[in-house]
mmCIF file of all heavy atoms in Angstrom:
data_model
loop_
_atom_site.group_PDB
_atom_site.id
_atom_site.type_symbol
_atom_site.label_atom_id
_atom_site.label_comp_id
_atom_site.label_asym_id
_atom_site.label_seq_id
_atom_site.Cartn_x
_atom_site.Cartn_y
_atom_site.Cartn_z
ATOM 1 N N GLU A 1 -23.503 -3.729 35.689
ATOM 2 C CA GLU A 1 -22.177 -3.945 35.111
ATOM 3 C C GLU A 1 -22.293 -4.638 33.766
ATOM 4 O O GLU A 1 -21.627 -4.271 32.797
ATOM 5 C CB GLU A 1 -21.320 -4.783 36.053
ATOM 6 C CG GLU A 1 -19.916 -5.030 35.538
ATOM 7 C CD GLU A 1 -19.114 -5.957 36.430
ATOM 8 O OE1 GLU A 1 -19.423 -7.161 36.443
ATOM 9 O OE2 GLU A 1 -18.198 -5.483 37.109
ATOM 10 N N GLN A 2 -23.157 -5.665 33.664
ATOM 11 C CA GLN A 2 -23.320 -6.405 32.420
ATOM 12 C C GLN A 2 -23.874 -5.522 31.306
ATOM 13 O O GLN A 2 -23.588 -5.730 30.130
ATOM 14 C CB GLN A 2 -24.228 -7.619 32.641
ATOM 15 C CG GLN A 2 -23.605 -8.720 33.485
ATOM 16 C CD GLN A 2 -22.285 -9.222 32.909
ATOM 17 O OE1 GLN A 2 -22.178 -9.497 31.720
ATOM 18 N NE2 GLN A 2 -21.269 -9.318 33.758
ATOM 19 N N GLU A 3 -24.667 -4.512 31.669
ATOM 20 C CA GLU A 3 -25.234 -3.614 30.669
ATOM 21 C C GLU A 3 -24.157 -2.750 30.011
ATOM 22 O O GLU A 3 -24.380 -2.162 28.956
ATOM 23 C CB GLU A 3 -26.299 -2.727 31.325
ATOM 24 C CG GLU A 3 -27.579 -3.491 31.677
ATOM 25 C CD GLU A 3 -28.560 -2.640 32.462
ATOM 26 O OE1 GLU A 3 -28.183 -1.516 32.864
ATOM 27 O OE2 GLU A 3 -29.690 -3.107 32.677
ATOM 28 N N LEU A 4 -22.991 -2.664 30.654
ATOM 29 C CA LEU A 4 -21.885 -1.883 30.093
ATOM 30 C C LEU A 4 -21.164 -2.633 28.983
ATOM 31 O O LEU A 4 -20.417 -2.050 28.211
ATOM 32 C CB LEU A 4 -20.883 -1.525 31.198
ATOM 33 C CG LEU A 4 -21.398 -0.627 32.329
ATOM 34 C CD1 LEU A 4 -20.334 -0.494 33.410
ATOM 35 C CD2 LEU A 4 -21.799 0.737 31.799
ATOM 36 N N PHE A 5 -21.385 -3.960 28.887
ATOM 37 C CA PHE A 5 -20.706 -4.775 27.888
ATOM 38 C C PHE A 5 -21.358 -4.625 26.516
ATOM 39 O O PHE A 5 -22.583 -4.611 26.390
ATOM 40 C CB PHE A 5 -20.722 -6.251 28.301
ATOM 41 C CG PHE A 5 -19.678 -6.614 29.315
ATOM 42 C CD1 PHE A 5 -19.894 -6.401 30.664
ATOM 43 C CD2 PHE A 5 -18.468 -7.170 28.933
ATOM 44 C CE1 PHE A 5 -18.944 -6.730 31.612
ATOM 45 C CE2 PHE A 5 -17.494 -7.500 29.866
ATOM 46 C CZ PHE A 5 -17.738 -7.282 31.206
ATOM 47 N N GLU A 6 -20.507 -4.534 25.484
ATOM 48 C CA GLU A 6 -20.982 -4.514 24.107
ATOM 49 C C GLU A 6 -20.805 -5.907 23.508
ATOM 50 O O GLU A 6 -19.993 -6.698 23.984
ATOM 51 C CB GLU A 6 -20.164 -3.517 23.288
ATOM 52 C CG GLU A 6 -20.163 -2.105 23.852
ATOM 53 C CD GLU A 6 -19.304 -1.160 23.035
ATOM 54 O OE1 GLU A 6 -19.475 -1.113 21.804
ATOM 55 O OE2 GLU A 6 -18.471 -0.470 23.626
ATOM 56 N N ASN A 7 -21.553 -6.221 22.427
ATOM 57 C CA ASN A 7 -21.321 -7.507 21.772
ATOM 58 C C ASN A 7 -20.041 -7.414 20.945
ATOM 59 O O ASN A 7 -19.462 -6.333 20.779
ATOM 60 C CB ASN A 7 -22.525 -7.938 20.916
ATOM 61 C CG ASN A 7 -22.794 -6.992 19.749
ATOM 62 O OD1 ASN A 7 -21.873 -6.544 19.055
ATOM 63 N ND2 ASN A 7 -24.056 -6.664 19.524
ATOM 64 N N LEU A 8 -19.581 -8.548 20.425
ATOM 65 C CA LEU A 8 -18.276 -8.607 19.761
ATOM 66 C C LEU A 8 -18.173 -7.654 18.583
ATOM 67 O O LEU A 8 -17.197 -6.910 18.465
ATOM 68 C CB LEU A 8 -17.996 -10.043 19.306
ATOM 69 C CG LEU A 8 -16.637 -10.272 18.627
ATOM 70 C CD1 LEU A 8 -15.498 -9.960 19.589
ATOM 71 C CD2 LEU A 8 -16.525 -11.702 18.114
ATOM 72 N N GLU A 9 -19.164 -7.643 17.709
ATOM 73 C CA GLU A 9 -19.082 -6.804 16.514
ATOM 74 C C GLU A 9 -19.130 -5.320 16.853
ATOM 75 O O GLU A 9 -18.417 -4.514 16.270
ATOM 76 C CB GLU A 9 -20.202 -7.167 15.524
ATOM 77 C CG GLU A 9 -19.919 -8.424 14.734
ATOM 78 C CD GLU A 9 -18.551 -8.397 14.039
ATOM 79 O OE1 GLU A 9 -18.259 -7.419 13.333
ATOM 80 O OE2 GLU A 9 -17.774 -9.346 14.218
ATOM 81 N N ALA A 10 -19.972 -4.953 17.824
ATOM 82 C CA ALA A 10 -20.062 -3.552 18.231
ATOM 83 C C ALA A 10 -18.735 -3.104 18.837
ATOM 84 O O ALA A 10 -18.235 -2.012 18.546
ATOM 85 C CB ALA A 10 -21.205 -3.361 19.230
ATOM 86 N N GLY A 11 -18.151 -3.956 19.685
ATOM 87 C CA GLY A 11 -16.865 -3.637 20.299
ATOM 88 C C GLY A 11 -15.754 -3.563 19.266
ATOM 89 O O GLY A 11 -14.876 -2.694 19.338
ATOM 90 N N TYR A 12 -15.802 -4.494 18.302
ATOM 91 C CA TYR A 12 -14.800 -4.508 17.222
ATOM 92 C C TYR A 12 -14.857 -3.214 16.425
ATOM 93 O O TYR A 12 -13.822 -2.582 16.151
ATOM 94 C CB TYR A 12 -15.052 -5.702 16.301
ATOM 95 C CG TYR A 12 -14.251 -5.656 15.017
ATOM 96 C CD1 TYR A 12 -12.911 -6.020 15.001
ATOM 97 C CD2 TYR A 12 -14.837 -5.231 13.823
ATOM 98 C CE1 TYR A 12 -12.166 -5.960 13.829
ATOM 99 C CE2 TYR A 12 -14.106 -5.167 12.653
ATOM 100 C CZ TYR A 12 -12.769 -5.539 12.655
ATOM 101 O OH TYR A 12 -12.041 -5.468 11.501
ATOM 102 N N LYS A 13 -16.045 -2.778 16.064
ATOM 103 C CA LYS A 13 -16.207 -1.565 15.260
ATOM 104 C C LYS A 13 -15.757 -0.321 16.036
ATOM 105 O O LYS A 13 -15.139 0.575 15.476
ATOM 106 C CB LYS A 13 -17.660 -1.422 14.818
ATOM 107 C CG LYS A 13 -18.073 -2.440 13.764
ATOM 108 C CD LYS A 13 -19.544 -2.328 13.421
ATOM 109 C CE LYS A 13 -19.939 -3.386 12.381
ATOM 110 N NZ LYS A 13 -21.404 -3.340 12.095
ATOM 111 N N ARG A 14 -16.089 -0.285 17.320
ATOM 112 C CA ARG A 14 -15.693 0.864 18.134
ATOM 113 C C ARG A 14 -14.174 0.952 18.258
ATOM 114 O O ARG A 14 -13.580 2.022 18.147
ATOM 115 C CB ARG A 14 -16.332 0.753 19.517
ATOM 116 C CG ARG A 14 -16.094 1.968 20.399
ATOM 117 C CD ARG A 14 -16.813 1.813 21.712
ATOM 118 N NE ARG A 14 -16.344 2.781 22.682
ATOM 119 C CZ ARG A 14 -16.562 2.699 23.974
ATOM 120 N NH1 ARG A 14 -17.244 1.689 24.459
ATOM 121 N NH2 ARG A 14 -16.107 3.616 24.814
ATOM 122 N N LEU A 15 -13.547 -0.212 18.454
ATOM 123 C CA LEU A 15 -12.092 -0.251 18.557
ATOM 124 C C LEU A 15 -11.453 0.098 17.220
ATOM 125 O O LEU A 15 -10.461 0.833 17.165
ATOM 126 C CB LEU A 15 -11.649 -1.641 19.018
ATOM 127 C CG LEU A 15 -10.146 -1.866 19.244
ATOM 128 C CD1 LEU A 15 -9.602 -0.876 20.267
ATOM 129 C CD2 LEU A 15 -9.888 -3.301 19.705
ATOM 130 N N LYS A 16 -12.012 -0.419 16.130
ATOM 131 C CA LYS A 16 -11.488 -0.142 14.788
ATOM 132 C C LYS A 16 -11.522 1.354 14.495
ATOM 133 O O LYS A 16 -10.565 1.913 13.940
ATOM 134 C CB LYS A 16 -12.306 -0.899 13.744
ATOM 135 C CG LYS A 16 -11.816 -0.709 12.310
ATOM 136 C CD LYS A 16 -12.686 -1.488 11.333
ATOM 137 C CE LYS A 16 -12.226 -1.253 9.896
ATOM 138 N NZ LYS A 16 -13.082 -1.987 8.921
ATOM 139 N N LEU A 17 -12.598 2.006 14.893
ATOM 140 C CA LEU A 17 -12.737 3.446 14.673
ATOM 141 C C LEU A 17 -11.675 4.217 15.447
ATOM 142 O O LEU A 17 -11.055 5.146 14.917
ATOM 143 C CB LEU A 17 -14.137 3.900 15.099
ATOM 144 C CG LEU A 17 -14.474 5.382 14.876
ATOM 145 C CD1 LEU A 17 -14.453 5.714 13.383
ATOM 146 C CD2 LEU A 17 -15.848 5.709 15.456
ATOM 147 N N ASP A 18 -11.433 3.805 16.700
ATOM 148 C CA ASP A 18 -10.429 4.485 17.512
ATOM 149 C C ASP A 18 -9.034 4.276 16.944
ATOM 150 O O ASP A 18 -8.230 5.210 16.870
ATOM 151 C CB ASP A 18 -10.491 3.970 18.951
ATOM 152 C CG ASP A 18 -9.722 4.872 19.919
ATOM 153 O OD1 ASP A 18 -8.481 4.771 19.967
ATOM 154 O OD2 ASP A 18 -10.367 5.668 20.615
ATOM 155 N N ILE A 19 -8.751 3.036 16.519
ATOM 156 C CA ILE A 19 -7.441 2.733 15.936
ATOM 157 C C ILE A 19 -7.223 3.525 14.645
ATOM 158 O O ILE A 19 -6.158 4.102 14.419
ATOM 159 C CB ILE A 19 -7.302 1.222 15.674
ATOM 160 C CG1 ILE A 19 -7.143 0.472 17.012
ATOM 161 C CG2 ILE A 19 -6.118 0.927 14.759
ATOM 162 C CD1 ILE A 19 -7.134 -1.029 16.881
ATOM 163 N N SER A 20 -8.246 3.574 13.797
ATOM 164 C CA SER A 20 -8.137 4.293 12.523
ATOM 165 C C SER A 20 -7.826 5.765 12.728
ATOM 166 O O SER A 20 -7.045 6.369 11.985
ATOM 167 C CB SER A 20 -9.439 4.152 11.721
ATOM 168 O OG SER A 20 -9.681 2.797 11.397
ATOM 169 N N SER A 21 -8.425 6.346 13.759
ATOM 170 C CA SER A 21 -8.209 7.771 14.025
ATOM 171 C C SER A 21 -6.858 8.029 14.701
ATOM 172 O O SER A 21 -6.396 9.171 14.752
ATOM 173 C CB SER A 21 -9.339 8.323 14.907
ATOM 174 O OG SER A 21 -9.313 7.725 16.190
ATOM 175 N N SER A 22 -6.222 6.965 15.213
ATOM 176 C CA SER A 22 -4.948 7.116 15.921
ATOM 177 C C SER A 22 -3.732 6.881 15.046
ATOM 178 O O SER A 22 -2.631 7.341 15.362
ATOM 179 C CB SER A 22 -4.891 6.145 17.112
ATOM 180 O OG SER A 22 -5.936 6.411 18.025
ATOM 181 N N LEU A 23 -3.907 6.152 13.940
ATOM 182 C CA LEU A 23 -2.789 5.870 13.044
ATOM 183 C C LEU A 23 -2.231 7.161 12.442
ATOM 184 O O LEU A 23 -2.967 8.086 12.122
ATOM 185 C CB LEU A 23 -3.230 4.933 11.924
ATOM 186 C CG LEU A 23 -3.406 3.460 12.308
ATOM 187 C CD1 LEU A 23 -4.160 2.710 11.219
ATOM 188 C CD2 LEU A 23 -2.056 2.808 12.573
ATOM 189 N N GLY A 24 -0.908 7.206 12.322
ATOM 190 C CA GLY A 24 -0.264 8.367 11.737
ATOM 191 C C GLY A 24 0.030 9.474 12.735
ATOM 192 O O GLY A 24 0.547 10.525 12.359
ATOM 193 N N LYS A 25 -0.284 9.226 14.002
ATOM 194 C CA LYS A 25 -0.045 10.227 15.039
ATOM 195 C C LYS A 25 1.016 9.705 16.002
ATOM 196 O O LYS A 25 1.820 8.855 15.657
ATOM 197 C CB LYS A 25 -1.357 10.534 15.765
ATOM 198 C CG LYS A 25 -2.447 11.074 14.841
ATOM 199 C CD LYS A 25 -3.749 11.297 15.587
ATOM 200 C CE LYS A 25 -4.844 11.794 14.640
ATOM 201 N NZ LYS A 25 -6.141 11.957 15.339
ATOM 202 N N GLU A 26 1.018 10.205 17.218
ATOM 203 C CA GLU A 26 1.947 9.716 18.235
ATOM 204 C C GLU A 26 1.635 8.255 18.551
ATOM 205 O O GLU A 26 0.473 7.833 18.484
ATOM 206 C CB GLU A 26 1.828 10.556 19.506
ATOM 207 C CG GLU A 26 2.337 11.982 19.373
ATOM 208 C CD GLU A 26 3.834 12.024 19.107
ATOM 209 O OE1 GLU A 26 4.583 11.313 19.809
ATOM 210 O OE2 GLU A 26 4.250 12.754 18.186
ATOM 211 N N PRO A 27 2.650 7.438 18.893
ATOM 212 C CA PRO A 27 2.400 6.024 19.209
ATOM 213 C C PRO A 27 1.343 5.876 20.308
ATOM 214 O O PRO A 27 1.358 6.605 21.300
ATOM 215 C CB PRO A 27 3.765 5.532 19.698
ATOM 216 C CG PRO A 27 4.744 6.444 19.039
ATOM 217 C CD PRO A 27 4.076 7.782 18.997
ATOM 218 N N LYS A 28 0.430 4.964 20.095
ATOM 219 C CA LYS A 28 -0.635 4.704 21.061
ATOM 220 C C LYS A 28 -0.635 3.219 21.387
ATOM 221 O O LYS A 28 -0.416 2.380 20.505
ATOM 222 C CB LYS A 28 -1.989 5.135 20.490
ATOM 223 C CG LYS A 28 -3.141 5.096 21.489
ATOM 224 C CD LYS A 28 -4.389 5.760 20.900
ATOM 225 C CE LYS A 28 -5.527 5.771 21.908
ATOM 226 N NZ LYS A 28 -6.731 6.458 21.381
ATOM 227 N N VAL A 29 -0.886 2.882 22.645
ATOM 228 C CA VAL A 29 -0.865 1.487 23.083
ATOM 229 C C VAL A 29 -2.256 1.057 23.537
ATOM 230 O O VAL A 29 -2.865 1.707 24.399
ATOM 231 C CB VAL A 29 0.141 1.277 24.238
ATOM 232 C CG1 VAL A 29 0.202 -0.202 24.611
ATOM 233 C CG2 VAL A 29 1.529 1.789 23.850
ATOM 234 N N TYR A 30 -2.729 -0.032 22.949
ATOM 235 C CA TYR A 30 -4.011 -0.618 23.322
ATOM 236 C C TYR A 30 -3.747 -1.897 24.113
ATOM 237 O O TYR A 30 -2.960 -2.739 23.686
ATOM 238 C CB TYR A 30 -4.841 -0.959 22.082
ATOM 239 C CG TYR A 30 -5.274 0.248 21.282
ATOM 240 C CD1 TYR A 30 -4.387 0.884 20.404
ATOM 241 C CD2 TYR A 30 -6.552 0.757 21.398
ATOM 242 C CE1 TYR A 30 -4.769 2.002 19.677
ATOM 243 C CE2 TYR A 30 -6.959 1.873 20.674
ATOM 244 C CZ TYR A 30 -6.061 2.485 19.812
ATOM 245 O OH TYR A 30 -6.448 3.594 19.097
ATOM 246 N N GLY A 31 -4.396 -2.043 25.249
ATOM 247 C CA GLY A 31 -4.282 -3.272 26.032
ATOM 248 C C GLY A 31 -5.542 -4.094 25.874
ATOM 249 O O GLY A 31 -6.643 -3.588 26.105
ATOM 250 N N VAL A 32 -5.388 -5.351 25.441
ATOM 251 C CA VAL A 32 -6.543 -6.234 25.242
ATOM 252 C C VAL A 32 -6.410 -7.415 26.198
ATOM 253 O O VAL A 32 -5.524 -8.257 26.049
ATOM 254 C CB VAL A 32 -6.632 -6.733 23.782
ATOM 255 C CG1 VAL A 32 -7.826 -7.668 23.608
ATOM 256 C CG2 VAL A 32 -6.740 -5.548 22.825
ATOM 257 N N ALA A 33 -7.281 -7.464 27.193
ATOM 258 C CA ALA A 33 -7.204 -8.485 28.234
ATOM 259 C C ALA A 33 -8.501 -9.291 28.309
ATOM 260 O O ALA A 33 -9.504 -8.956 27.683
ATOM 261 C CB ALA A 33 -6.915 -7.822 29.594
ATOM 262 N N GLY A 34 -8.458 -10.354 29.112
ATOM 263 C CA GLY A 34 -9.620 -11.219 29.295
ATOM 264 C C GLY A 34 -9.159 -12.615 29.656
ATOM 265 O O GLY A 34 -7.968 -12.924 29.586
#
C-alpha cells in the first residue's frame, strides 16, 4: 500500500497536469482529503 504513495512534488505535478487538461471543458470536481 505504501508503495502506491507518491511524494509531494510528484503528486502535485500529476494533479497539475490533470487539472490543466480539464480546464475549459465540462465542470470537474477534485476531492482532496487527508
Side-chain angles (χ1 to χ4, degrees):
E1 181 185 71
Q2 290 303 313
E3 288 174 352
L4 297 174
F5 280 83
E6 304 178 51
N7 64 43
L8 182 62
E9 282 308 308
Y12 169 79
K13 289 176 181 177
R14 186 177 166 196
L15 183 57
K16 182 180 178 181
L17 183 63
D18 194 281
I19 288 174
S20 297
S21 65
S22 299
L23 284 166
K25 300 177 182 177
E26 291 295 313
K28 188 170 182 178
V29 184
Y30 294 79
V32 179

